[in-house]
Amino acid sequence: MSFGGQTPTIIVLKEGTDTSQGKGQILSNINACLAVQATIKSTLGPYGGDLLMVDANGRQTITNDGATVMKLLDIVHPAARILVDIARSQDAEVGDGTTSVVVLAGEILKEVREHVEQGLSSQVIIKGLRRASDMAVNKINEIAVSTQEGSRRETLCKLAATAMTSKLIKRNSDFFTQMVVDAVLSLDQGDLNEKLIGIKKIPGGSLTDSLFVNGVAFKKTFSYAGFEQQPKSFDKPKIVCLNVELELKAEKDNAEVRVEQVSEYQAIVDAEWQIIFKKLEAIYETGAKVVLSKLPIGDLATQYFADRDLFCAGRVAGEDMERVVQATGATIQSTCSDIKSEHLGACDRFDERQIGGERFNFFEGCSEAKTCTLVLRGGAEQFIAEVERSLHDAIMIVKRAIRHTAIVGGGGACEMEISAYLHRFADKNIPHKQQAVIKSFAKALEIIPRQLCDNAGFDATDILNKLRVDHRKGSTWAGVDFTNEGVTDMMEMFVWEPSLVKINAIQAATEATCLILSVDETIMNEESAQPQAPGKALPPGAAQRALRGRGRGLPRR
């Protein structure tokens, strides 16, 4: 409908809403992602640096773990947050390669930016990237080497050592490699639940003072009077695990009782004592020497057990109790009246030991052991926290390698081989627009060996030229040699990675890139105070409106 030949203006969005769209929006999103990539790419590889990150509360974190860095970065740009998601997905699915996936996604965006600027449809670019990704994954599956069953432990050690080369603990990788492989092999091989690997951090000592406990170790719980009289070590003890509170409750806590004579009051008090003594006697008669409970064990029960040479610990953390159950074969009981022998757990040795400034309870030599504990030592809390993150990556790599036996060479060898393959394929088989997109994807893969060289202080251009020549001649596993600053065979150097790491990284990076390229319009609500791109100023009055909005209890975006 027209009014006097003019179409009326229809306002759909709220006043103050900021919109931007088109090619400029896509380029803005790409630039935001490149800013994130520039922050994290210096941490890649064995000679990558660490980032010192300080949050709003002044808490410090020193790390080069990609997932941790991305989680701690306070990224406000909506498109750049997608890189945080792919780092988390890589960490959850594989456990390693979190930095690689962000660097790779950023480089793919950088390479296709030129096509966007020239006006090539983003849908054509997306189609080409997906095709290149599928070809890359197929190539990895084709060249991957299947490890032999006989040398399983040796292979797992090599994979764990490769995962540690870029971490703080690389100097002690031989020590921690054995620890990580022992830890994963101690789990139930059916589900390989890495959460059953307990990690305890105790400041003090050196890295090599760290312990592997084939069983359970946890910090001494809160104790009452009588605890010091209890024995602190047993050989082959029976263990009972409870979810029962063993404390004497005063009558005023539970009910109001009216009495007329002192004898009636005394009968009530005696009844309460009888209730707890019956529980304690029932536990003692089971023959158990170690009593653990998720709930408090009071001073009366503590003294009762001490008089009978039993050890008890109350308020045991839920995850520690679960690992004790897995290790000793015990069953958690919610009552003391019907505890049978099959409900008890057992281990070869229980004792309480001093480690650093803490006392720990150790359950070792467990027959049912489907769990273990790593006790980490080190000079500073931040250092031990980074060691824990490093071991998590190695544990996840070993866990995946047990189920997926295919491996590829590290050090940029796999990426260079795929890059060379895609270049050859695009030249021969793809004559139209997608050829340029696939070649851009192939060039983007070279960022991994290039950044490895840059972070190590090598001449990246010279080494990449050598790698291109070697891969053209058929040297599938030629990669960056960090020892002699050159090129060498990664398989012979035992720089191995599970093929799953590479496949997941390429797929996640491609998905993120396609998602970012498909967004050509952003609509930001009035109360949102987030800029569209790093360094871009907010519209006049937007910050004030955002602050007013939050004051009224409106959602913060």
Side-chain angles (χ1 to χ4, degrees):
M1 182 183 295
S2 63
F3 297 87
Q6 294 183 351
T7 304
T9 302
I10 300 174
I11 300 175
V12 177
L13 300 176
K14 189 175 178 180
E15 184 183 356
T17 300
D18 183 30
T19 64
S20 55
Q21 59 187 342
K23 184 168 72 173
Q25 177 61 56
I26 297 176
L27 293 174
S28 169
N29 291 343
I30 291 175
N31 290 336
C33 294
L34 292 181
V36 175
Q37 184 212 36
T39 303
I40 198 174
K41 67 182 182 181
S42 63
T43 67
L44 183 70
Y47 291 96
D50 293 342
L51 297 183
L52 170 58
M53 311 190 74
V54 185
D55 64 12
N57 299 322
R59 189 173 56 208
Q60 303 167 349
T61 304
I62 300 173
T63 183
N64 69 354
D65 180 61
T68 306
V69 171
M70 296 301 289
K71 185 169 62 177
L72 294 176
L73 283 177
D74 191 12
I75 297 173
V76 296
H77 194 287
R81 285 185 188 171
I82 295 170
L83 299 184
V84 179
D85 293 337
I86 62 171
R88 286 180 177 172
S89 73
Q90 180 80 6
D91 192 44
E93 181 65 22
V94 189
D96 196 18
T98 48
T99 306
S100 301
V101 73
V102 176
V103 171
L104 188 56
E107 194 65 17
I108 296 172
L109 287 169
K110 182 179 177 182
E111 291 296 332
V112 300
R113 181 170 59 181
E114 182 182 350
H115 303 313
V116 176
E117 290 171 345
Q118 291 173 353
L120 187 61
S121 168
S122 59
Q123 294 305 317
V124 173
I125 298 173
I126 289 170
K127 197 175 292 183
L129 292 178
R130 290 193 189 281
R131 183 172 181 181
S133 172
D134 291 341
M135 289 164 56
V137 171
N138 291 337
K139 184 65 176 176
I140 292 174
N141 289 326
E142 180 186 323
I143 64 175
V145 177
S146 181
T147 55
Q148 298 176 0
E149 189 68 30
S151 58
R152 181 189 188 197
R153 183 182 177 85
E154 183 183 346
T155 302
L156 295 179
C157 288
K158 295 286 192 304
L159 292 169
T162 302
M164 292 181 194
T165 53
S166 61
K167 308 297 181 184
L168 275 174
I169 56 176
K170 61 184 176 185
R171 293 176 186 167
N172 304 100
S173 61
D174 290 343
F175 176 80
F176 284 105
T177 294
Q178 302 297 329
M179 185 180 289
V180 164
V181 175
D182 287 340
V184 177
L185 293 179
S186 70
L187 299 176
D188 183 349
Q189 298 299 293
D191 60 357
L192 288 173
N193 184 5
E194 72 276 3
K195 292 180 181 176
L196 290 177
I197 300 176
I199 297 182
K200 306 297 178 182
K201 296 171 283 189
I202 308 175
S206 68
L207 273 179
T208 51
D209 290 333
S210 300
L211 301 173
F212 169 77
V213 181
N214 188 21
V216 181
F218 57 81
K219 187 178 173 183
K220 180 177 87 73
T221 59
F222 180 83
S223 57
Y224 288 88
F227 178 81
E228 292 305 325
Q229 299 171 30
Q230 294 180 351
K232 301 299 188 296
S233 64
F234 296 100
D235 287 324
K236 300 188 181 303
K238 295 290 184 182
I239 301 161
V240 62
C241 296
L242 304 172
N243 191 20
V244 179
E245 189 172 2
L246 297 176
E247 275 196 296
L248 184 64
K249 287 280 187 181
E251 67 278 355
K252 66 182 179 182
D253 288 346
N254 298 320
E256 180 180 338
V257 181
R258 297 178 183 238
V259 295
E260 295 179 357
Q261 300 179 21
V262 174
S263 59
E264 293 178 5
Y265 174 78
Q266 187 62 43
I268 294 170
V269 173
D270 291 344
E272 289 183 337
W273 281 72
Q274 287 173 10
I275 289 171
I276 189 168
F277 272 117
K278 282 183 179 177
K279 290 180 181 178
L280 299 176
E281 286 171 8
I283 293 170
Y284 175 66
E285 288 171 0
T286 63
K289 287 294 185 181
V290 177
V291 182
L292 304 178
S293 178
K294 289 184 179 181
L295 298 176
I297 296 179
D299 47 5
L300 172 68
T302 303
Q303 187 64 56
Y304 180 94
F305 290 135
D307 294 342
R308 290 157 180 78
D309 289 337
L310 270 70
F311 174 90
C312 70
R315 294 190 178 96
V316 178
E319 58 182 24
D320 289 332
M321 183 69 86
E322 176 62 25
R323 292 191 299 109
V324 170
V325 167
Q326 291 285 343
T328 63
T331 306
I332 296 178
Q333 299 295 302
S334 55
T335 177
C336 300
S337 59
D338 189 29
I339 303 177
K340 298 178 181 177
S341 58
E342 58 264 27
H343 298 150
L344 303 181
C347 66
D348 286 347
R349 177 77 181 165
F350 166 82
D351 60 354
E352 184 176 291
R353 302 206 294 265
Q354 186 83 19
I355 300 182
E358 306 285 357
R359 292 190 71 78
F360 267 70
N361 297 324
F362 286 82
F363 299 80
E364 297 178 285
C366 304
S367 57
E368 300 286 330
K370 294 175 184 175
T371 180
C372 65
T373 307
L374 308 181
V375 181
L376 305 181
R377 307 298 309 280
E381 288 186 14
Q382 291 96 337
F383 189 78
I384 301 176
E386 178 63 1
V387 171
E388 181 185 9
R389 286 189 285 271
S390 304
L391 290 182
H392 169 263
D393 286 2
I395 286 169
M396 291 295 287
I397 284 291
V398 173
K399 174 185 169 182
R400 298 300 177 197
I402 287 176
R403 291 186 174 163
H404 302 88
T405 58
I407 61 168
V408 294
C414 185
E415 288 82 3
M416 288 301 297
E417 180 64 20
I418 300 166
S419 177
Y421 165 71
L422 290 177
H423 274 299
R424 289 194 303 269
F425 187 88
D427 287 336
K428 293 179 181 178
N429 303 308
I430 304 177
H432 46 79
K433 294 177 185 176
Q434 285 189 9
Q435 183 188 65
V437 177
I438 291 176
K439 289 177 80 70
S440 295
F441 185 94
K443 188 177 179 184
L445 289 170
E446 293 183 357
I447 186 60
I448 301 298
R450 181 182 294 278
Q451 197 60 46
L452 290 174
C453 294
D454 286 342
N455 291 347
F458 298 164
D459 184 343
T461 305
D462 181 45
I463 291 179
L464 247 70
N465 282 333
K466 291 179 180 176
L467 285 173
R468 290 190 190 106
V469 171
D470 281 6
H471 281 274
R472 198 170 293 129
K473 290 179 178 177
S475 299
T476 305
W477 302 120
V480 182
D481 183 0
F482 292 101
T483 308
N484 303 311
E485 188 175 346
V487 174
T488 189
D489 190 303
M490 292 290 104
M491 281 292 175
E492 292 181 1
M493 293 289 288
F494 301 115
V495 181
W496 299 349
E497 295 183 67
S499 61
L500 192 66
V501 175
K502 302 298 184 187
I503 291 172
N504 203 75
I506 288 174
Q507 289 177 333
T510 306
E511 287 296 330
T513 305
C514 294
L515 186 58
I516 291 165
L517 290 173
S518 67
V519 175
D520 71 341
E521 182 170 5
T522 299
I523 301 173
M524 303 182 77
N525 290 337
E526 179 190 2
E527 60 267 16
S528 175
Q530 297 169 1
Q532 284 199 32
K536 181 178 176 181
L538 288 168
Q544 290 83 349
R545 288 197 302 272
L547 291 173
R548 287 201 303 274
R550 289 174 198 158
R552 294 195 300 269
L554 294 176
R556 178 176 180 175
R557 294 183 181 272

